[in-house]
Amino acid sequence: DDESKGNYRHLRHGQQPEGTPVVKEPVLEPYWAAGFSFNRGHFVVNVPYDQYLPMIFQGEEINMGLRGFTYGYDYYASAYSVCFHIYAIGENAKRRNKVPKFWEHTNLYDDVEEKAFLRLNGIIDMNPNEDPNLWDHTDEKKYGIGKVRTTQKFFDTFGIHTKTQTVEGHLCRFVGRPMQNKFIPALRTNGMGIDYDKIDYK
């Protein structure tokens, strides 16, 4: 879903509902998750963390994931839950709320986060209504998008409308067995990912 407002707005994926796995193999996913990412080293060589996004705590996942998509990477999730995160809620609140937070010193970096969000979304073509002169283009080639797939193919396939900043609500029902059945036949024989030229799902 689109989260936050104005220049801080960004696409943020939630999580799949917990339940009995219907697929007994790694599950093809449209999104990349920072908290559960394992890959070969060439991923971070081709899609490095953007060093010009200071004070970004949430929002980097769509940036990294979409950039990776344009370089030809596909994402899979484990069919079973293998890790979890203890949030500061319920019985954990008292203990966890003592942990220092990322955003404790945001007042020292006035306007930095807003400019970073403009860049984060600009590089991946998610803020077409904004003037490109408003964001920093330093090392954009290094931290930019690839040439294997287009951002528009991602948007069309997964129901993301950048001009209206809306997303279609059917994706959660599609991810899992339906997506596996439709996309895996388009897996390249050389093992280099899904051939999205063969994917007509929208």
Side-chain angles (χ1 to χ4, degrees):
D1 293 324
D2 256 329
E3 189 170 270
S4 204
K5 296 177 182 173
N7 291 333
Y8 296 92
R9 196 168 184 138
H10 61 281
L11 187 67
R12 182 169 179 228
H13 64 85
Q15 61 193 40
Q16 283 296 97
E18 290 291 332
T20 304
V22 295
V23 179
K24 306 292 186 193
E25 59 190 5
V27 182
L28 186 64
E29 295 279 340
Y31 296 114
W32 176 85
F36 191 68
S37 177
F38 304 89
N39 41 261
R40 295 183 182 225
H42 53 73
F43 180 83
V44 293
V45 171
N46 291 322
V47 190
Y49 275 94
D50 190 339
Q51 302 300 302
Y52 298 95
L53 298 178
M55 299 308 293
I56 295 296
F57 178 71
Q58 292 181 334
E60 89 286 3
E61 289 175 314
I62 189 61
N63 179 278
M64 292 287 289
L66 191 43
R67 287 169 51 217
F69 176 86
T70 66
Y71 274 90
Y73 290 100
D74 297 320
Y75 308 113
Y76 293 84
S78 171
Y80 300 92
S81 294
V82 295
C83 67
F84 62 92
H85 182 89
I86 299 175
Y87 286 96
I89 55 176
E91 64 185 44
N92 298 315
K94 189 174 183 180
R95 182 171 40 120
R96 293 287 295 162
N97 277 326
K98 294 177 184 175
V99 175
K101 308 292 188 294
F102 172 84
W103 49 84
E104 287 180 354
H105 302 291
T106 53
N107 60 323
L108 301 176
Y109 303 96
D110 210 20
D111 297 328
V112 170
E113 185 181 17
E114 181 178 6
K115 291 175 185 173
F117 266 116
L118 286 168
R119 175 186 170 94
L120 180 148
N121 286 316
I123 283 179
I124 58 174
D125 303 325
M126 288 200 73
N127 57 359
N129 304 324
E130 293 291 343
D131 180 355
N133 294 316
L134 294 176
W135 49 277
D136 182 4
H137 293 266
T138 305
D139 286 338
E140 188 176 347
K141 184 175 180 182
K142 178 178 181 179
Y143 300 114
I145 57 175
K147 295 181 171 47
V148 176
R149 302 170 183 151
T150 66
T151 55
Q152 193 59 52
K153 181 63 177 180
F154 185 88
F155 301 147
D156 291 343
T157 303
F158 299 115
I160 299 166
H161 306 283
T162 58
K163 289 192 176 168
T164 58
Q165 294 188 323
T166 57
V167 294
E168 296 174 20
H170 67 282
L171 191 57
C172 283
R173 292 186 305 274
F174 180 64
V175 172
R177 188 183 303 278
M179 188 171 173
Q180 296 283 104
N181 292 342
K182 189 154 188 72
F183 286 31
I184 294 299
L187 190 62
R188 291 186 172 95
T189 56
N190 64 4
M192 297 301 288
I194 303 290
D195 182 354
Y196 272 81
D197 290 338
K198 295 180 179 175
I199 301 295
D200 58 5
Y201 176 82
K202 290 187 176 188

